Amino acid sequence: MSAAHGVLSDTELKRAIQQGWISAAGPFPPDQIQPASLDLRLGDVAYRLRASFLPGAGAKVADRLDDQIVMHTIDLTQGAVLETGCVYLVQVQERLALPPHVHGAANPKSSTGRVDVFTRLTVDGAASFDYIPAGYHGPLWAEISPCTFSVLVRTGARLSQVRWRRGPPH
């Protein structure tokens, strides 16, 4: 990486993928990498939740997905409608093995806001949404809640993006 602090550029993101600290089951399409961010792609299954949650220190998101919180699962491979007023959780295709000096901040893509869908990201051990701690190793999860309209989503849809930063978080 070229600087001690700051947001990683698209060139640096491509290098991070080559080095394996950002990975996915399939290839990264060229348009997934933006000038200063990486789009995240939805995985194959959505979980309809009773309520939003954060896993908390030391807890894994997947371990919290039991019949107390998950109402049902939805296959996204052929496309599925997510209803307004409901909360869904989807593991994204990307997985991380961040070095100790790199952390991330997630936000919805602008296209998500235009259709009034609320999204945020969580990770294992999270105490807050949309933050990926330095050195994080593990999966990423998108929480999705359509606000005004029900939406059709499918595997590979891009609703969130992450900016990667070097150096200590401020």
Side-chain angles (χ1 to χ4, degrees):
M1 303 299 160
S2 62
H5 299 288
V7 175
L8 274 61
S9 68
D10 56 345
T11 301
E12 293 170 307
L13 289 173
K14 291 173 187 171
R15 189 175 312 127
I17 291 167
Q18 290 171 344
Q19 293 174 350
W21 53 269
I22 303 173
S23 62
F28 289 85
D31 67 341
Q32 185 180 356
I33 301 167
Q34 304 301 320
S37 65
L38 177 73
D39 293 347
L40 301 176
R41 300 169 289 173
L42 297 181
D44 294 339
V45 175
Y47 299 93
R48 166 65 168 91
L49 304 180
R50 294 185 192 285
S52 175
F53 72 93
L54 285 166
K60 294 182 184 260
V61 173
D63 292 345
R64 298 281 314 273
L65 299 178
D66 58 24
D67 60 0
Q68 298 297 310
I69 190 95
V70 174
M71 296 173 70
H72 55 272
T73 60
I74 302 165
D75 180 1
L76 299 181
T77 58
Q78 301 301 310
V81 174
L82 304 184
E83 300 292 333
T84 59
C86 299
V87 179
Y88 301 90
L89 190 69
V90 180
Q91 187 172 344
V92 300
Q93 295 178 27
E94 293 69 34
R95 188 169 179 84
L96 303 177
L98 296 180
H101 65 284
V102 174
H103 58 98
N107 60 278
K109 291 179 57 67
S110 59
S111 57
T112 306
R114 286 193 291 272
V115 293
D116 202 18
V117 175
F118 181 69
T119 67
R120 55 191 180 178
L121 192 77
T122 191
V123 298
D124 292 343
S128 64
F129 290 104
D130 294 329
Y131 177 70
I132 304 165
Y136 177 77
H137 285 65
L140 304 169
W141 299 83
E143 182 182 288
I144 306 163
S145 186
C147 298
T148 305
F149 309 102
S150 297
V151 294
L152 175 66
V153 297
R154 63 183 26 116
T155 300
R158 302 176 197 172
L159 304 178
S160 301
Q161 59 191 6
V162 177
R163 291 172 320 285
W164 306 99
R165 294 185 175 110
R166 285 178 298 267
H170 296 337

